[in-house]
């Protein structure tokens, strides 16, 4: 029927004077006859689900990607808070390059492999993970949403993946451990402080609270220059400037939660009044941390020891020599040294050099389950994410973090299926080619 119509049309184009209906009167399409639908036909189409009227919930329910969550987050919190999370250091070149590396890769799927059903689970440092994803350490979670780390730990625990609590946490080591629930096997992220006594105390508290791994971040000799924060006049806690007062009218729920819950402060380290936090951070981290410190930590911590922020092959080798069980190839999400190496591009060389000596993890720019699949294929045992779950947290608290994990899980499952992989172990380097395509215009 379609072919007949095309032929008729092209004939009439050839001979504009010709009357096609005269040539083929029987081919003129009959007008559909109208009738009233029966209730039995309408009934299956009617969907009267209860509408969730809580602010932002519909947007959260409809979010299908991390980008959707990011948009939902931007509506829920004051702009300086959103940009504190969303932004990077200096000109944000590292942040963009980290994303571009994922966008520029090409998958080489295997066909006709007979894959029916996908298992995304994996094991890491003796833990069973429902997917190769870890919610990485991020400071000041209670700033972005009042439940903060408690909500994140609950969501991770329920999903069967670890959450790494930072030294800069706004919920205590003990409370986060309790919030993880039975499924919670969380990690503690340590900044080595000038005060070595306090550093030791933190490690001991993490051990006593049952944390499953110690993550030592080594890329933060000083805090990176986050220009969006400078330009926004960002402060922790936020100041009640005239602009903030206008914002209160636009986002009353966020402000009400901030002002009617416990004052925002570090819950893990004694930093005095919140106003003193900036100065505390500037002075607290020890920029002289060395491989000898790693050896000391190795003696203090008998569980898995992970070095976060490795950016060179020779440092990966030295971390293995110092007795680390794992490393995170990380550019700190582009928040520290700008124009630092792109972790995904570094991954194949590091896997080759130390892949048989320790477990390699990766973060910075991971935004989908397909990104996780690519990193795992190239040698990572799992990926950490920072901003993706913070977007979820801002958009909808614990439910938002759960949604983030669900999005990653669905995307990973679908990608593995399309790649012809039924298990995480089937993800092998031949499935990915890096730097295959120039970035697409947004
Ligand atoms: C708001 C924010 C706070 C962070 N705080 C810490 C921290 O306290 N300790 C740390 O090791 N990394 C911290 N990071 C870095 C993350 O652990 C992770 O390396 C990074 O977010 C990964 O990049 P992504 O955001 O593109 O996923 C932070 C990241 C963000 C976005």
């Amino acid at each position: 029927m379609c072919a007949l119509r095309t032929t008729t049309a092209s004939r009439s184009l050839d001979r504009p004077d010709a009357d096609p209906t005269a040539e083929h009167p029987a081919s003129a399409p009959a007008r559909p006859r109208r009738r009233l639908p029966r209730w039995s036909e309408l009934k299956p189409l009617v969907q009267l689900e209860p509408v969730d009227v809580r602010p932002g919930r519909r947007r959260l329910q409809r979010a299908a990607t991390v980008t959707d969550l990011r948009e939902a987050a931007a509506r829920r919190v004051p702009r300086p808070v959103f940009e504190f999370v969303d932004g990077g250091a200096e000109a944000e070149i590292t942040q963009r390059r980290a994303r571009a590396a994922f966008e520029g890769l090409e998958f080489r799927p295997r066909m006709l492999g007979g894959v029916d059903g996908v298992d995304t689970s994996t094991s890491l440092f003796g833990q069973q993970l429902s997917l190769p994803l870890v919610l990485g350490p991020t400071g000041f979670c209670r700033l972005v949403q009042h439940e903060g780390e408690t909500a994140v730990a609950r969501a991770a625990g329920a999903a069967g993946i670890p959450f790494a609590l930072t030294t800069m946490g706004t919920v205590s080591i003990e409370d986060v451990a309790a919030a993880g629930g039975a499924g919670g096997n969380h990690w503690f992220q340590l900044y080595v402080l000038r005060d070595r006594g306090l550093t030791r105390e933190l490690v001991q508290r993490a051990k006593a609270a049952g944390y499953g791994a110690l993550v030592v971040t080594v890329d933060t000799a000083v805090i990176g220059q986050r220009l969006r924060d400078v330009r926004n006049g960002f402060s922790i806690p936020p100041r009640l400037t005239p602009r903030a007062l206008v914002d209160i009218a636009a986002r009353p729920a966020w402000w009400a939660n901030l002002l009617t819950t416990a004052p925002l402060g570090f819950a893990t380290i004694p930093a005095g009044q919140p106003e003193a936090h900036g100065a505390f951070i500037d002075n607290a981290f020890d920029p002289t941390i060395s491989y000898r410190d790693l050896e000391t930590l190795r003696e203090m911590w008998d569980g898995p020891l992970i070095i976060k922020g490795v950016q060179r092959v020779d440092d990966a080798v030295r971390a293995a020599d110092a007795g680390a069980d794992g490393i995170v190839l990380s550019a700190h999400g582009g928040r520290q040294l700008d124009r630092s190496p792109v972790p995904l591009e570094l991954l194949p060389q590091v896997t080759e050099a130390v892949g048989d000596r320790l477990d390699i993890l990766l973060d910075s720019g991971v935004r989908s389950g397909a990104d996780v699949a690519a990193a795992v294929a190239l040698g990572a045992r799992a990926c950490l994410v920072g901003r993706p779950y913070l977007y979820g947290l801002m958009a909808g608290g614990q439910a938002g973090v759960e949604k983030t994990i669900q999005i990653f899980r669905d995307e990973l499952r679908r990608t593995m299926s399309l790649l012809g992989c039924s298990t995480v172990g089937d993800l092998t380097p031949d499935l990915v080619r890096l730097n295959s395509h120039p970035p697409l215009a947004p």
Side-chain angles (χ1 to χ4, degrees):
M1 180 119 127
C2 211
L4 182 66
R5 236 188 262 141
T6 313
T7 319
T8 313
S10 58
R11 261 193 218 143
S12 61
L13 277 179
D14 291 347
R15 295 183 292 132
D17 53 322
D19 176 358
T21 50
E23 269 181 40
H24 300 285
S27 69
R31 289 236 172 97
R33 278 181 55 209
R34 306 254 170 209
R35 67 183 181 86
L36 281 175
R38 294 194 188 96
W39 172 240
S40 61
E41 293 162 346
L42 282 179
K43 201 174 155 197
L45 305 179
V46 175
Q47 282 191 355
L48 293 178
E49 285 164 7
V51 178
D52 194 337
V53 291
R54 284 173 293 175
R57 278 306 157 111
R58 260 164 77 80
R59 194 170 284 276
L60 185 65
Q61 278 165 2
R62 291 191 176 173
T65 63
V66 168
T67 305
D68 293 344
L69 289 175
R70 178 176 178 270
E71 279 167 22
R75 289 166 183 264
R76 301 278 295 150
V77 305
R79 196 173 130 205
V81 173
F82 176 78
E83 297 215 322
F84 161 69
V85 170
D86 197 56
E90 311 284 355
E92 301 188 348
I93 293 170
T94 298
Q95 196 177 345
R96 288 199 300 277
R97 283 184 185 161
R99 256 325 288 152
F102 281 107
E103 284 167 8
L105 67 80
E106 181 180 278
F107 283 119
R108 301 284 175 91
R110 288 184 207 109
M111 294 299 156
L112 304 172
V115 172
D116 182 14
V118 165
D119 177 4
T120 61
S121 70
T122 189
S123 68
L124 186 60
F125 307 121
Q127 285 177 238
Q128 199 60 26
L129 275 55
S130 68
L131 71 160
L133 187 75
V134 176
L135 304 187
T138 59
F140 304 104
C141 286
R142 282 193 53 237
L143 170 70
V144 306
Q145 197 267 353
H146 64 289
E147 289 181 317
E149 290 86 350
T150 309
V152 182
R154 282 199 192 119
I161 60 172
F163 161 51
L165 170 69
T166 164
T167 303
M168 303 286 108
T170 47
V171 175
S172 76
I173 293 178
E174 293 74 17
D175 287 348
V176 167
N185 191 349
H186 298 316
W187 301 355
F188 182 67
Q189 179 262 316
L190 182 75
Y191 280 122
V192 174
L193 307 172
R194 286 183 201 268
D195 182 342
R196 293 305 162 90
L198 180 55
T199 307
R200 182 177 287 274
E201 196 185 297
L202 293 178
V203 175
Q204 283 163 352
R205 277 173 64 192
K207 201 172 179 177
Y211 280 73
L214 185 69
V215 182
V216 184
T217 298
V218 294
D219 59 13
T220 313
V222 293
I223 298 281
Q225 173 73 310
R226 323 248 164 93
L227 289 172
R228 294 200 219 178
D229 294 352
V230 175
R231 290 176 184 138
N232 287 330
F234 174 75
S235 68
I236 298 174
R239 280 184 219 106
L240 289 173
T241 57
R243 222 201 216 172
L245 295 177
V246 173
D247 195 75
I248 287 177
R251 296 173 185 83
W254 185 88
W255 283 98
N257 287 328
L258 176 79
L259 298 172
T260 60
T261 52
L264 192 64
F266 291 130
T268 292
I269 45 178
Q273 295 306 307
E275 299 77 45
H277 286 168
F280 176 84
I281 293 174
D282 286 345
N283 295 318
F285 299 166
D286 190 344
T288 69
I289 174 177
S290 69
Y291 280 98
R292 190 169 298 164
D293 292 300
L294 292 189
E295 284 161 18
T296 311
L297 286 167
R298 179 67 289 179
E299 285 160 21
M300 284 164 61
W301 180 265
D302 49 12
L305 179 68
I306 304 162
I307 313 304
K308 175 173 181 282
V310 172
Q311 309 200 35
R312 295 167 51 114
V313 176
D314 55 359
D315 274 333
V317 173
R318 292 190 74 183
D321 293 344
D325 301 284
I327 50 173
V328 187
L329 297 182
S330 170
H332 210 111
R335 296 166 74 84
Q336 285 298 108
L337 177 68
D338 205 14
R339 284 177 283 178
S340 56
V342 171
L344 188 69
E345 288 171 0
L346 196 61
L347 179 59
Q349 304 157 51
V350 172
T351 304
E352 167 124 21
V354 292
D356 56 348
R357 297 182 63 196
L358 41 65
D359 285 333
I360 301 164
L361 311 177
L362 175 141
D363 77 17
S364 303
V366 176
R367 293 291 176 272
S368 72
D371 295 343
V372 174
V376 171
L378 292 174
R381 295 297 315 282
C383 289
L384 276 67
V385 286
R387 296 182 187 86
Y389 78 81
L390 291 177
Y391 296 144
L393 185 63
M394 287 188 266
Q398 182 181 336
V401 181
E402 285 166 359
K403 180 80 187 205
T404 313
I405 300 168
Q406 186 60 43
I407 287 172
F408 272 97
R409 190 191 304 285
D410 292 347
E411 289 167 339
L412 176 62
R413 198 176 279 144
R414 202 163 49 242
T415 305
M416 285 174 62
S417 196
L418 292 171
L419 284 173
C421 299
S422 51
T423 68
V424 168
D426 295 339
L427 290 163
T428 46
D430 56 294
L431 294 167
V432 176
R433 206 173 62 137
L434 285 178
N435 300 316
S436 298
H437 299 277
L440 297 170

